[in-house]
Amino acid sequence: MTLVEWARLVSAELELAEEMDKADVDRILDLARDAAHSVARPAAPLTAYLMGIAVGRGADPAEAAAALSRLALAQADGDGRG
């Protein structure tokens, strides 16, 4: 099973009307990577979840992901890693 297929299966189970495609999956995985590598591993699912809440409230997915990636990467550039 591909990740796109998994995302579609999960979406169907949750009765979400939006259709997931490869670009959506890649956007989420890129954001999770940035959060995991720049903040801490547990930040990946937490950040993806919070982005999902924002998108559910009307935020643009691409803009939200870009903003959160920038935020995470800024943590790696500073002393935010501990």
Side-chain angles (χ1 to χ4, degrees):
M1 172 175 287
T2 69
L3 289 177
V4 172
E5 291 168 335
W6 172 247
R8 290 179 177 167
L9 186 64
V10 170
S11 294
E13 180 68 21
L14 296 174
E15 299 178 1
L16 300 176
E18 296 78 19
E19 179 78 14
M20 294 286 291
D21 62 20
K22 185 172 182 337
D24 296 318
V25 171
D26 288 346
R27 181 180 303 116
I28 295 164
L29 293 176
D30 289 346
L31 171 59
R33 177 202 60 223
D34 291 344
H37 292 194
S38 301
V39 181
R41 281 192 167 282
L46 177 61
T47 305
Y49 173 77
L50 293 171
M51 182 184 135
I53 291 173
V55 169
R57 291 181 178 171
D60 177 82
E63 290 176 13
L68 294 175
S69 284
R70 282 192 305 272
L71 182 64
L73 293 171
Q75 297 303 304
D77 291 340
D79 63 347
R81 297 184 96 173

